[in-house]
Amino acid sequence: MAITLTGGLRRATPPLVGIDLSASSVKVVELSRGQKAALRLERYAIEPIERGAIVDGNIEKPEAVADSLTRALKRCGTRAKEAALALPSGAVITKKISLPGGLREEDYEVQVETEASQYIPFPIDEVNLDFQILGPASSAEDEPDVEVLLAASRKEKVDDRVAVAEMAGLKPVVMDVEPYALRSAVDHVTGFLPDAGQGRIIAVFSIGQTTTSVTVVLNQQTIFEREQAFGGQQLTQELVRLYGLTPEEAEARKRTGDLPDNYQRDLLQPFVEQGATDIGRALQFFFTSTPYTRVDQILLAGGSAVVPGLVEAVAERTQVPTELLSPFKGMELSESIRERQLRGDAPALLVAAGLAMRRFDA
C-alpha cells in the first residue's frame, strides 16, 4: 500500500532516505539493493527532537525539527538528496470507493476528485489528493467496478513537512501516510515467515511516545486498526516525578539504564505490566469486534517496545508468541552498521524503513 501526496515518485532509483518525524525524535533510513539479499541497510540514525517541536503530529517548531534532521543526516553520513516522508493518520482522510473499471488514468483522476468532494470537509483546492486502485470491487463477472483508495490531506500539513526537509537540504519526492509506510515494513518481514505468512493472523503493536497503534494483518491485508493511549511518555513522566530529572535526562537514562536501584521495582515493572494489560485488552477488543477468534503472532515495534521485560510480559499475558519486530530482517548490513546497536534501535525504525523501501517501487 502506498499513497503519494506530493505528486509522484520518479521511477529511477537515486539514493533515497526515509524520514520519520515523531514527537521524540527524527529517524533516518537509507536502503540499497543487496548482492546476496534483495535489500541492504546502508545507514540509519535516530536524533532527539526538542520537546514541543512536534505535538500531536503537528510541526510547531520547523527550525528545531530541521536542525534535528540535519544532525541525523550528518551522523549517518548519507549523500542522498531525495527524501520520503509521511503524515500521521490523523492528518489524512482516507476512503475506499468504487469506480468503473477500464478507465484511463486521467479519467480516474477526474472521477476521484469528484468523489473526494463528498468526503472532504474543506475546499478541494486546499488539499493534496492521491489515489490507488486496489483491485476489482466484486468477484462477479458482470461487475466491472474497481475498488479505489483515495487519500487527502490539507496542503498546509504536507507543506510543513516539505519545508522541514528542504531546510535540511533535501528534496521531498514522496509524502506517504504513516500506517501505510509501517505496513510496507511489516509486509517485508512477514515474507520471511513460513509460507510467507499466509493464513497467519499477525498483530503489530507500535508503541510510541504517547499512543500505541494496533494493526492486525492477514494475508497482507489489514483486518483491524486501532490506537490507544499508552506510550513511553508515561514512564518518562514517572521518572521526572520520582527522581527530579528533566524530561530530556529521563529519556536519556531510560536508554542507558543509569537509574536508582528501586527503578525496576517501583517504575519499570508497573509500566511493563500496564503495557501487557493494555495489549491484552486490545486483542480482546479485536476478538469481540471482528469475526476472528485468534492471533498467531504478536510483533512489538516502536521506541518503547524495547523496554526490558515487555516482550515476556506480553507473551505471558496473551499466551501468544511475541517478539520484537525489526524491519531489516533478511537484509544485508553495510560495514558501518553495528549489529548490537541495531537490535535495540530497529523496532523504532519501522516507518522510516517502510518509507526508504519506496525507492524500489515498481
Side-chain angles (χ1 to χ4, degrees), residues 156-190:
E156 63 196 54
K157 303 292 186 183
V158 175
D159 291 347
D160 285 347
R161 279 167 166 71
V162 168
V164 164
E166 290 178 344
M167 280 190 278
L170 297 172
K171 177 185 177 183
V173 294
V174 171
M175 188 66 67
D176 212 323
V177 187
E178 287 176 3
Y180 299 158
L182 182 145
R183 268 293 310 280
S184 294
V186 171
D187 288 348
H188 166 78
V189 172
T190 55

Side-chain angles (χ1 to χ4, degrees), residues 68-283:
S68 292
L69 175 55
T70 300
R71 291 195 301 272
L73 295 169
K74 183 176 181 180
R75 191 150 64 85
C76 75
T78 182
R79 295 183 179 180
K81 293 302 180 184
E82 297 193 347
L85 298 94
L87 290 161
S89 57
V92 182
I93 296 171
T94 58
K95 183 72 176 178
K96 289 182 181 179
I97 60 175
S98 293
L99 294 176
L103 300 180
R104 295 175 302 174
E105 184 169 351
E106 53 266 34
D107 295 327
Y108 277 118
E109 291 175 0
V110 174
Q111 291 271 359
V112 165
E113 188 167 317
T114 301
E115 291 287 330
S117 61
Q118 302 177 41
Y119 307 107
I120 299 171
F122 26 79
I124 199 72
D125 60 356
E126 294 180 7
V127 305
N128 285 84
L129 180 68
D130 198 11
F131 68 95
Q132 180 170 340
I133 298 173
L134 301 178
S138 170
S139 59
E141 294 182 3
D142 59 350
E143 177 57 75
D145 288 356
V146 293
E147 189 175 51
V148 176
L149 175 69
L150 67 85
S153 177
R154 296 289 295 266
K155 287 183 177 179
E156 63 196 54
K157 303 292 186 183
V158 175
D159 291 347
D160 285 347
R161 279 167 166 71
V162 168
V164 164
E166 290 178 344
M167 280 190 278
L170 297 172
K171 177 185 177 183
V173 294
V174 171
M175 188 66 67
D176 212 323
V177 187
E178 287 176 3
Y180 299 158
L182 182 145
R183 268 293 310 280
S184 294
V186 171
D187 288 348
H188 166 78
V189 172
T190 55
F192 291 92
L193 295 174
D195 299 322
Q198 291 297 299
R200 294 175 63 86
I201 299 177
I202 301 167
V204 181
F205 289 83
S206 183
I207 307 169
Q209 187 180 46
T210 59
T211 60
T212 295
S213 67
V214 186
T215 303
V216 184
V217 178
L218 172 62
N219 298 335
Q220 295 191 324
Q221 297 294 319
T222 298
I223 57 175
F224 180 80
E225 286 182 302
R226 189 168 185 251
E227 282 194 352
Q228 55 194 50
F230 175 80
Q233 190 176 58
Q234 293 171 227
L235 183 56
T236 301
Q237 289 171 340
E238 287 298 295
L239 288 168
V240 170
R241 181 187 64 80
L242 193 61
Y243 301 129
L245 303 173
T246 67
E248 291 76 15
E249 288 171 337
E251 288 288 347
R253 294 199 187 186
K254 274 199 308 185
R255 292 191 293 270
T256 63
D258 180 21
L259 288 160
D261 292 339
N262 66 337
Y263 162 66
Q264 184 164 351
R265 182 190 70 244
D266 294 346
L267 294 186
L268 181 60
Q269 192 59 35
F271 176 80
V272 166
E273 291 174 359
Q274 182 64 52
T277 297
D278 284 1
I279 287 173
R281 287 172 179 165
L283 289 185

Side-chain angles (χ1 to χ4, degrees), residues 9 38 125 194 259 322 335:
L9 174 66
D125 60 356
L259 288 160
T322 303
E335 295 79 6

